[in-house]
Amino acid sequence: MDFLKVLGIKDENLGASTGLKWYGEKSGDKIDVHSPVDGKHIATVYQATEDDYEQVAKIAHEAFLEWRKIPAPKRGEVVRQVGLQLRKYKEPLGKLVSYEMGKSLQEGLGEVQEMIDICDFSVGLSRQLYGFTMQSERPNHRMYDQYHPLGIVGTISAFNFPVAVWSWNAMIATVCGDTNIWKPSSKVPLTSIAVQNILADVIKENDLPEGLFSLVIGRGKTVGERMLNDKRVPLVSVTGSTSVGRHAAQVVSKRFGRTILELGGNNAIILTPNADLKIAIPAIVFGAVGTAGQRCTSTRRIIMHESIYDKVKESLLKAYETLKIGSPLDVSNHVGPLIDKAAVEDFLNSQKKVKEEGGKIIFGGEVLEGKGYESGCYVKPAIAEVENHYQIVQEETFAPLLYLIKYSGEVSNAIELQNNVVQGLSSSIFTNDVRESEEFLSAWGSDCGIANVNIGTSGAEIGGAFGGEKETGGGRESGSDSWKAYMRRQTNTINFGKELPLAQGIKFDI
């Protein structure tokens, strides 16, 4: 395929890089990458070893010692050029994202656009790393705070957004004066290699330090654990399951490091009797089947008032009947494959548990076979009637399985059902009643990190802080003031007088 050649993907690829140089050997542990689209072998990647990681980390730390001295606007200029390179390679990189991961081509291109957008955001941010000035109680004193570069930022990304989440972390970290080591999901290593190749021209043209952008593709038990335990990496950003995040947080906190955790979601849309169903139904369907239900913000639960339940169910069944399932490279298709056959098994097992607990599958749920579905990773999105307290409903199934749940009475009852799960990432309400929407957004409303009105749970913009509460991890990435997590804060007090008054009026005469 032409896009592989354009992006520098070879039949055999090394799994560690510091920007210009590649490390490792074409022997030992390897990943044979197959596309979930057609089951075909794409390329082979030789995984980084612990020794490879050590070499990369050493160079990344040395690069940080120099990079932190560069003025932030100059760092922003480098990120601006990265954005230009991504614009140049948007189409081939979008195709690779789609082919390697399985999301639709539109979503693949959208993910690269998200990278471009965060570059633009970070360029502006490079001139806005603000601190505050505070009033001192002591005469002839000035007090303020400022933010300094932190060090190496480790980014552990998941398969479902193989490049965008890296960019959220790496581009902001870069303008903050940090370097980055990226450990991508072993399920989608080729996209990370492609990005590393795209960055190479910017590194060469600007004579940037080797190690500003680094990559290690390797096992979690070796390379991943090495990163979590590495004191040279003061911040580790982890996107993944709750169990992975819990382990990472425990390991990093033992050495007093920091983590940004973006973990599981169990996202609900509330439909009140005042909802505009003309916009609600498309939002639900995209949120539930987009990326084949493999977004952390995918819509999992629809909590709707009993008075509109039958009408909404009928509308959703009709909409699901129109879904086109097939190769994500065909823009006429709505739904592509799951990432692998293990994900298909999880999808089937979740439906089995729904039935065991008393629920009912009312649409879909089958594994598709025949021409075009040879990879065995295509499924028909499912809809189930359930109750919120079912154990399987309390869990996150990373697949297109949508739960329909009734509520009665006031909107507060729906909000209580929405909040009654351990996850707290994204949430939404559809209503034209301002009182209902304001209650949903109040302190006693949605307990999620993201709360939307009259839009779905999926498809966040980069300008807002992204992240969730409870077992979603509490991390924040991307926009707003998320940049502060990538820097160390320092309070400064300057005495420009000729005396030494102490705070709180303390007297100490000698």
Side-chain angles (χ1 to χ4, degrees):
M1 293 184 176
D2 289 344
F3 60 84
L4 297 175
K5 184 177 180 181
V6 169
L7 295 168
I9 303 299
K10 304 173 184 177
D11 291 337
E12 295 184 316
N13 305 270
L14 297 178
S17 170
T18 52
L20 295 177
K21 298 178 182 178
W22 290 87
Y23 296 85
E25 297 180 1
K26 292 184 178 180
S27 61
D29 261 353
K30 66 178 182 178
I31 304 169
D32 287 316
V33 185
H34 294 81
S35 171
V37 174
D38 54 19
K40 293 181 180 178
H41 181 263
I42 310 175
T44 296
V45 178
Y46 290 91
Q47 299 194 75
T49 64
E50 290 187 66
D51 288 342
D52 294 331
Y53 172 83
E54 181 58 34
Q55 180 78 352
V56 167
K58 179 178 181 292
I59 294 171
H61 177 67
E62 291 170 351
F64 165 70
L65 299 180
E66 295 302 316
W67 186 244
R68 63 182 176 177
K69 299 175 184 177
I70 305 299
K74 297 293 186 183
R75 302 193 292 250
E77 168 58 20
V78 169
V79 171
R80 186 187 70 82
Q81 293 179 41
V82 172
L84 293 177
Q85 281 292 95
L86 289 170
R87 285 176 170 86
K88 180 179 176 182
Y89 289 96
K90 178 179 176 178
E91 184 175 350
L93 183 57
K95 286 182 178 178
L96 178 56
V97 169
S98 180
Y99 188 57
E100 185 179 30
M101 186 268 153
K103 64 174 60 177
S104 73
L105 179 57
Q106 283 296 312
E107 291 182 84
L109 295 170
E111 184 167 347
V112 181
Q113 185 61 49
E114 195 167 342
M115 301 172 77
I116 294 167
D117 292 345
I118 200 66
C119 285
D120 290 350
F121 178 91
S122 299
V123 173
L125 178 64
S126 69
R127 295 181 182 269
Q128 300 181 78
L129 302 175
Y130 298 134
F132 291 106
T133 298
M134 291 78 72
Q135 296 301 313
S136 174
E137 67 184 61
R138 292 170 282 187
N140 299 321
H141 280 60
R142 181 163 67 90
M143 185 165 58
Y144 66 97
D145 62 21
Q146 60 179 331
Y147 291 83
H148 291 306
L150 184 62
I152 299 173
V153 173
T155 302
I156 299 176
S157 61
F159 75 85
N160 59 330
F161 277 84
V163 291
V165 171
W166 166 80
S167 69
W168 293 356
N169 289 276
M171 295 303 100
I172 292 180
T174 299
V175 298
C176 288
D178 304 323
T179 56
N180 185 267
I181 299 178
W182 181 14
K183 183 192 176 302
S185 167
S186 295
K187 295 183 178 183
V188 285
L190 300 180
T191 45
S192 62
I193 293 173
V195 170
Q196 202 75 358
N197 290 336
I198 290 170
L199 293 169
D201 287 342
V202 178
I203 295 170
K204 291 176 185 175
E205 290 173 7
N206 291 273
D207 195 25
L208 299 177
E210 181 187 0
L212 179 58
F213 302 110
S214 298
L215 174 69
V216 285
I217 300 168
R219 294 185 180 278
K221 292 182 179 180
T222 54
V223 169
E225 287 299 310
R226 195 70 176 263
M227 178 185 288
L228 296 179
N229 284 281
D230 193 343
K231 291 183 178 181
R232 293 167 297 187
V233 184
L235 173 65
V236 183
S237 175
V238 181
T239 302
S241 68
T242 297
S243 59
V244 167
R246 181 178 287 112
H247 171 72
Q250 290 172 346
V251 174
V252 176
S253 65
K254 284 182 180 179
R255 59 178 176 85
F256 295 99
R258 308 181 193 175
T259 52
I260 296 174
L261 303 177
E262 299 291 356
L263 312 176
N266 196 344
N267 315 296
I269 292 178
I270 294 173
L271 298 179
T272 81
N274 300 298
D276 183 346
L277 297 183
K278 289 182 180 179
I279 62 172
I281 297 301
I284 292 168
V285 177
F286 174 73
V289 308
T291 324
Q294 297 171 115
R295 292 189 178 207
C296 50
T297 55
S298 290
T299 304
R300 309 289 178 200
R301 298 175 293 147
I302 306 300
I303 302 171
M304 65 195 97
H305 195 269
E306 59 186 0
S307 65
I308 60 171
Y309 183 88
D310 290 337
K311 182 178 181 180
V312 172
K313 181 173 75 170
E314 181 181 352
S315 296
L316 287 173
L317 290 173
K318 287 181 179 179
Y320 268 55
E321 286 285 2
T322 67
L323 292 176
K324 296 179 181 178
I325 306 167
S327 170
L329 295 174
D330 182 343
V331 295
S332 67
N333 290 326
H334 300 103
V335 185
L338 292 172
I339 185 64
D340 54 27
K341 291 182 179 179
V344 173
E345 282 301 310
D346 287 343
F347 177 66
L348 296 174
N349 288 335
S350 293
Q351 293 178 69
K352 181 180 178 182
K353 291 177 182 177
V354 165
K355 296 173 184 177
E356 290 173 350
E357 292 194 67
K360 183 180 179 182
I361 305 297
I362 62 172
F363 186 90
E366 306 90 355
V367 179
L368 300 178
E369 299 177 346
K371 187 176 180 180
Y373 304 131
E374 290 87 354
S375 69
C377 297
Y378 291 87
V379 301
K380 195 169 186 178
I383 301 175
E385 292 183 300
V386 299
E387 295 182 21
N388 199 65
H389 63 82
Y390 290 176
Q391 183 58 44
I392 186 59
V393 178
Q394 294 286 309
E395 300 170 2
E396 179 187 38
T397 298
F398 222 57
L401 175 55
L402 181 65
Y403 297 127
L404 306 187
I405 301 167
K406 288 182 183 178
Y407 84 92
S408 58
E410 301 297 322
V411 71
S412 58
N413 296 328
I415 295 172
E416 182 178 0
L417 284 171
Q418 178 209 278
N419 292 347
N420 193 22
V421 293
V422 296
Q423 307 87 354
L425 179 52
S426 188
S427 59
S428 177
I429 188 171
F430 279 81
T431 179
N432 287 330
D433 187 319
V434 68
R435 291 177 176 175
E436 290 178 334
S437 64
E438 288 297 325
E439 182 172 352
F440 178 75
L441 299 176
S442 70
W444 54 95
S446 172
D447 65 0
C448 296
I450 299 170
N452 298 326
V453 177
N454 292 332
I455 64 170
T457 62
S458 190
E461 298 180 32
I462 59 93
F466 182 90
E469 301 298 325
K470 301 189 292 188
E471 290 193 7
T472 300
R476 293 296 185 276
E477 294 172 323
S478 195
S480 187
D481 66 347
S482 299
W483 61 270
K484 292 180 179 179
Y486 301 84
M487 305 194 80
R488 60 181 178 89
R489 184 170 184 160
Q490 185 180 80
T491 300
N492 308 114
T493 306
I494 301 169
N495 178 3
F496 57 89
K498 296 180 179 180
E499 297 180 352
L500 186 67
L502 300 178
Q504 293 84 49
I506 294 174
K507 301 296 183 182
F508 186 77
D509 297 323
I510 56 172

